[in-house]
Amino acid sequence: MAAQKKLTRAEQKALRPVQILDAAFEEFVRSGFAGTRVEDIADRVGVTKGTVYVYFGTKEKLFEAMINHFSVPFQELLAIADRLSGSATNRLISILGLFYEQIPEDRATRELTRLVISEGQRFPDLIDRHHDQFIAPIIAKIDALILEGVASGEFRPIPVEFSDIVVAPILTTTVLRLIFDDRRVPTPNKEAFLRTYFDLLFNGLLAKPH
């Protein structure tokens, strides 16, 4: 096996903010905001506490940057959704499948959800911005798809709150896994979950259920 190329000092410096954010994520997940020490984050990276503050002036700013850093996959999911083609049903299936993979199936996003819930009262403005920037556009995309399907006759008329019901099973699965891990809630079989989920969803949504 070829020896791994050693990074230059410039390359190491360019990587440092991301390394700090990754380390901060692990410490905040483990100890919560109040229990996390910047020294422990620095130790994970192998730098001094002062180095962390060079990039992120306060612990609060570090927490906010970490939340934004680990929310980027939601933007990527939305970009994929914008490129989908086909019927409203097929696009909705694709988006919800991606949404399932990104939240309950992905450990980082599950733990990000835990932090959003547990630290929401401490950082209400940050959590509101996180929702507006990363979550609301996905919900809006689901709303738009449902309305498109209704307008074309593919879906039957439904209440405007229907998108909340659409995503509820995915969010419930995420919360249960966060609470119990795999002790009382075994990791669901992805294919079986999505098959049952879509069967229930589209038998309520389609103008002519299968």
Side-chain angles (χ1 to χ4, degrees):
M1 181 181 294
Q4 188 173 4
K5 179 184 175 182
K6 186 175 181 180
L7 297 177
T8 66
R9 288 178 63 87
E11 289 171 332
Q12 290 175 341
K13 186 175 181 180
L15 285 174
R16 191 70 73 211
V18 173
Q19 292 172 336
I20 293 172
L21 292 172
D22 288 344
F25 174 78
E26 297 299 337
E27 288 297 323
F28 285 129
V29 165
R30 185 181 69 151
S31 305
F33 180 84
T36 293
R37 303 188 314 158
V38 174
E39 296 96 310
D40 294 330
I41 296 171
D43 287 344
R44 276 184 178 267
V45 183
V47 298
T48 66
K49 181 170 70 171
T51 299
V52 175
Y53 284 128
V54 166
Y55 293 98
F56 308 98
T58 65
K59 184 177 165 184
E60 289 78 9
K61 290 180 180 179
L62 174 57
F63 184 81
E64 179 169 2
M66 180 274 299
I67 291 288
N68 290 333
H69 175 63
F70 279 87
S71 296
V72 167
F74 288 109
Q75 292 179 318
E76 296 170 348
L77 188 157
L78 189 63
I80 293 172
D82 286 339
R83 295 195 295 270
L84 294 173
S85 59
S87 68
T89 298
N90 288 338
R91 281 179 286 157
L92 189 55
I93 287 173
S94 296
I95 290 173
L96 293 173
L98 291 168
F99 201 54
Y100 180 84
E101 289 179 358
Q102 190 55 58
I103 301 185
E105 289 277 291
D106 182 76
R107 182 251 174 183
T109 309
R110 284 201 312 273
E111 296 299 340
L112 179 67
T113 303
R114 186 197 303 277
L115 287 170
V116 167
I117 294 171
S118 63
E119 304 296 344
Q121 289 187 322
R122 185 187 297 270
F123 299 101
D125 292 341
L126 168 60
I127 301 308
D128 287 350
R129 288 197 301 273
H130 171 270
H131 178 272
D132 293 344
Q133 184 176 357
F134 299 107
I135 305 301
I138 295 174
I139 300 301
K141 186 68 175 179
I142 293 172
D143 279 336
L145 261 179
I146 292 173
L147 290 174
E148 180 183 331
V150 171
S152 67
E154 190 175 342
F155 299 155
R156 65 185 180 86
I158 46 86
V160 293
E161 298 85 359
F162 195 80
S163 59
D164 292 334
I165 299 172
V166 169
V167 300
I170 296 175
L171 298 179
T172 299
T173 300
T174 304
V175 171
L176 288 174
R177 290 190 66 181
L178 286 173
I179 295 172
F180 296 111
D181 198 10
D182 294 326
R183 299 190 308 278
R184 293 180 181 269
V185 183
T187 302
N189 178 278
K190 174 186 171 183
E191 288 73 21
F193 176 92
L194 290 176
R195 184 169 58 251
T196 305
Y197 172 42
F198 292 143
D199 181 61
L200 291 170
L201 172 63
F202 288 106
N203 271 292
L205 185 58
L206 290 173
K208 296 180 180 179
H210 298 300

